[in-house]
Amino acid sequence: MIDKTLSSMFKIVTDEAVNNPAFGKKLEDVVAKFGQELAERRLAERSIEGFHPFIEFRKGTPEEFEARLMKFDAQELRVLVQKHHLDPANLLKGKGAKKALVAHVLEASRKRAERDAKLFEY
Amino acid sequence: MAPRTVSVVNMKGGVGKSTTVASLAETLASEGLRVLVIDLDPQSNVSMMLAGQDRWVELRQANRTIDEYFNQYVYGGEPRFFREFVANRVSDIAGEPSLDLLISTPEFRYIERHALEKWVSQGFDIRQLNTRFSRLTHSAIENVADSYDLVLFDCPPGISMFAEAAIELSEFIVIPTIPDYVSRLGIFAFRKRALRSMEQRRFTDDRIYTLITKYEAGNSLHQSEAALLKDQFNVFETRIPQAEQIARAAEWSDHKRTLEQKYGDAAAVIRKFAGEFRERVGLI
């Protein structure tokens, strides 16, 4: 049922895009923008894959951790924040410059490491 | 040879303890191991899953329950051997796997209370009570030791005296957990207790395993927490997925079925976990 519904819906959109050039152009722009954003995000996800901030923080000094964070770009850091839920109050609002993002990740990781250490003592 | 004794436990409820016990027991029994499941949870979930409601009622009417087994020590009466309480060949898996079960009932929650009231009034302190519960559980297992390769305890959420006894008796502990923040906290809360028990018997924490359950591969929170669990604890490689078929498998089937029919696509993961479990607890 859903396959037929979707086929009918896409047929209408396809016909309109062919017969209405203004609509077709608008659609193309939106799809292109979405595609570019998606590609950038996927690239960022691949870059941070295997890098868990709470685990990496404990591997060395905070300075070393900060230096490792500085190797990521802002987009990668934003994905890192989102993936590991480092901004639960949404203070960064999904944005932030690289320096602010690094400081945020560093602080969140430090706090988490301290809390986890206490849990192991519990 | 004495059976391997393993407790499946987590202070937190809803993490899949009973589902883990039932699926693991069924898989291992279908592979030829002789498995006994002891339900220590008054919710009786694993009892219902493995025996089905009809047989559970029959066993209850025949007083073949864990409550009745411990009752005889609390209230006295004609002593019966532990093996007389055990239900043989449970499970709806085809092929008559060697899977036995001691069922629990909701009344089981009163036994501990009555035992505590009675024995405390007789002058026992909490430590002596612990020892007494442990000895009772130990002698129960000894009574059937020759009959099984593996004894699995399904422990209730929280820590009851019976769960404590099972932990103290177990060579291995499996802590099922959903990879999220509160479930991870549940491990910390319980781990120290388990560790103390292990160390008292000169075991090390490499006998305490965490099993990730209800895992959603596309959920970034699960990915993040699972990586953290792996870094902090002794975690099984296999992750039990959140799957409708696993939830459906809890319902008894009047017709025998294969593991694949029962657990669907998840059967492969469950088999993989069972293989890993066998390797880790030395049941190869």
Side-chain angles (χ1 to χ4, degrees), chain B residues 56-68:
Chain B
W56 180 80
V57 170
E58 282 170 23
L59 290 162
R60 196 178 179 182
Q61 284 169 348
N63 294 328
R64 291 173 66 191
T65 67
I66 192 160
D67 353 341
E68 291 296 338

Side-chain angles (χ1 to χ4, degrees), chain B residues 26-68:
Chain B
E26 287 184 322
T27 310
L28 295 176
S30 70
E31 289 173 0
L33 290 184
R34 300 167 304 160
V35 181
L36 170 65
V37 169
I38 299 179
D39 190 355
L40 292 173
D41 187 351
Q43 292 180 88
S44 318
N45 291 343
V46 83
S47 299
M48 294 283 191
M49 286 181 202
L50 290 176
Q53 199 175 332
D54 295 345
R55 191 159 178 203
W56 180 80
V57 170
E58 282 170 23
L59 290 162
R60 196 178 179 182
Q61 284 169 348
N63 294 328
R64 291 173 66 191
T65 67
I66 192 160
D67 353 341
E68 291 296 338

Side-chain angles (χ1 to χ4, degrees), chain A residues 37-111:
Chain A
E37 283 171 3
L38 189 67
E40 283 170 6
R41 188 179 163 84
R42 292 281 179 270
L43 211 60
E45 282 172 355
R46 273 201 290 276
S47 299
I48 62 151
E49 208 175 303
F51 186 93
H52 195 304
F54 302 153
I55 297 172
E56 300 303 324
F57 180 84
R58 291 197 301 267
K59 287 184 178 171
T61 64
E63 292 73 24
E64 285 165 347
F65 179 65
E66 189 176 9
R68 294 184 66 193
L69 289 176
M70 287 301 286
K71 288 179 184 164
F72 294 120
D73 64 27
Q75 170 71 355
E76 289 163 344
L77 289 165
R78 277 194 281 272
V79 173
L80 193 72
V81 167
Q82 196 181 18
K83 184 174 165 66
H84 296 286
H85 198 52
L86 303 181
D87 185 21
N90 198 21
L91 297 173
L92 298 165
K93 298 189 174 13
K95 296 174 185 165
K98 182 172 171 173
K99 211 173 167 186
L101 285 160
V102 167
H104 187 92
V105 175
L106 179 63
E107 183 60 7
S109 305
R110 187 186 61 76
K111 279 184 184 164

Side-chain angles (χ1 to χ4, degrees), chain B residues 12-223:
Chain B
K12 192 179 180 310
V15 294
K17 290 185 288 295
S18 298
T19 305
T20 299
V21 170
S23 58
L24 181 64
E26 287 184 322
T27 310
L28 295 176
S30 70
E31 289 173 0
L33 290 184
R34 300 167 304 160
V35 181
L36 170 65
V37 169
I38 299 179
D39 190 355
L40 292 173
D41 187 351
Q43 292 180 88
S44 318
N45 291 343
V46 83
S47 299
M48 294 283 191
M49 286 181 202
L50 290 176
Q53 199 175 332
D54 295 345
R55 191 159 178 203
W56 180 80
V57 170
E58 282 170 23
L59 290 162
R60 196 178 179 182
Q61 284 169 348
N63 294 328
R64 291 173 66 191
T65 67
I66 192 160
D67 353 341
E68 291 296 338
Y69 173 72
F70 283 109
N71 244 339
Q72 61 186 346
Y73 295 101
V74 180
Y75 298 112
E78 188 74 20
R80 290 159 65 197
F81 286 116
F82 179 73
R83 66 171 70 248
E84 293 173 36
F85 293 84
V86 173
N88 301 116
R89 306 271 171 179
V90 292
S91 170
D92 56 12
I93 293 293
E96 296 281 309
S98 179
L99 172 50
D100 294 352
L101 167 73
L102 178 58
I103 67 159
S104 175
T105 76
E107 285 73 41
F108 186 45
R109 67 187 186 277
Y110 301 122
I111 303 299
E112 180 175 288
R113 205 168 69 192
H114 292 165
L116 286 172
E117 277 171 7
K118 185 173 175 182
W119 292 336
V120 165
S121 72
Q122 289 174 352
F124 288 98
D125 63 28
I126 199 76
R127 204 168 154 176
Q128 289 168 316
L129 286 175
N130 247 326
T131 308
R132 193 159 193 178
F133 278 111
S134 292
R135 281 192 185 146
L136 288 176
T137 313
H138 190 256
S139 68
I141 301 304
E142 267 190 341
N143 185 241
V144 294
D146 294 342
S147 308
Y148 300 103
D149 302 305
L150 171 69
V151 176
L152 276 174
F153 291 101
D154 183 26
C155 297
I159 300 280
S160 72
M161 295 290 260
F162 292 107
E164 293 254 3
I167 292 162
E168 283 180 15
L169 189 69
S170 294
E171 299 159 284
F172 297 90
I173 290 169
V174 176
I175 312 173
T177 186
I178 304 167
D180 64 25
Y181 183 67
V182 284
S183 299
R184 206 166 59 86
L185 288 181
I187 302 181
F188 281 108
F190 167 71
R191 189 179 164 277
K192 195 140 193 177
R193 169 69 192 84
L195 200 56
R196 199 170 63 235
S197 166
M198 285 292 169
E199 283 170 353
Q200 277 168 355
R201 290 172 291 150
R202 299 176 192 276
F203 291 154
T204 50
D205 67 350
D206 61 359
R207 285 172 178 253
I208 304 172
Y209 294 109
T210 299
L211 171 67
I212 293 173
T213 55
K214 301 188 179 183
Y215 184 67
E216 295 170 32
N219 180 330
S220 63
L221 168 69
H222 281 200
Q223 292 166 5

Side-chain angles (χ1 to χ4, degrees), chain B residues 30 91-97 255-259 261:
Chain B
S30 70
S91 170
D92 56 12
I93 293 293
E96 296 281 309
H255 299 282
K256 296 281 182 185
R257 46 189 174 165
T258 63
L259 270 177
Q261 285 167 336

